[in-house]
Amino acid sequence: MADTERLRLNVSAVAIDGRALILTGKPGSGKSTLALQLIDRGATLIGDDGVAEVSRGGSPVAAPPAQQRGALEIRGVGLVTLTVTEAPAALVLVLDETPERLPDTLAEECWAGIAVPRLPFDPNAPAAALRAEHALRKFARACIREL
């Protein structure tokens, strides 16, 4: 199967333990800030405000976009360049939707033709990076099916 690629805008992503945590939301919703917090905790940047959605051998992968590879915007500082990686798409955090207090089942989002769990998430609540890591451990690709 040939690799296919599509650029997603207004999306940031980091790799944690070999899995991509994808952050979506409107401009100013906190994607870059949450990515920076996660990088400070050991994550690796995949992309900021643009991520390549890739299908590799039928698996959904989040990859750095060629045109802004390694660039991360730090508000009030500017653009910095970081090391990047790619990883299988595992969980989508939606930063501009109201989260449930105790989510039970998750909606799904299509990523390279595969259903990936989708969780509304508040990046401004306390311990956002720690909560994002726990969300990844709890919900990451619990159910994958072709769409």
Side-chain angles (χ1 to χ4, degrees):
M1 174 184 248
D3 294 351
T4 59
E5 183 174 319
R6 176 175 88 126
L7 180 64
R8 286 210 182 185
L9 301 175
N10 295 318
V11 175
S12 296
V14 296
I16 300 172
D17 296 329
R19 299 180 293 178
L21 180 61
I22 300 159
L23 313 172
T24 67
K26 297 174 187 165
S29 62
K31 299 179 300 291
S32 299
T33 299
L34 181 55
L36 182 62
Q37 292 170 353
L38 289 162
I39 291 164
D40 187 52
R41 294 178 55 81
T44 303
L45 180 66
I46 294 173
D48 182 43
D49 273 340
V51 173
E53 171 187 333
V54 182
S55 175
R56 290 223 169 88
S59 295
V61 172
Q67 67 276 21
Q68 58 195 46
R69 188 177 181 87
L72 175 74
E73 178 188 343
I74 301 176
R75 204 171 289 269
V77 174
L79 291 175
V80 297
T81 303
L82 301 175
T83 301
V84 294
T85 192
E86 63 179 49
L91 177 65
V92 176
L93 295 183
V94 184
L95 306 190
D96 52 7
E97 291 182 7
T98 304
E100 292 181 36
R101 182 169 175 243
L102 298 170
D104 187 14
T105 58
L106 301 186
E108 297 170 334
E109 183 167 316
C110 182
W111 192 271
I114 302 294
V116 176
R118 178 182 194 281
L119 177 68
F121 189 84
D122 181 358
N124 300 310
L130 181 59
R131 288 184 305 103
E133 290 170 343
H134 280 284
L136 182 65
R137 282 194 286 276
K138 181 172 183 177
F139 294 115
R141 291 209 341 215
C143 56
I144 299 176
R145 61 183 172 78
E146 287 196 34
L147 294 178

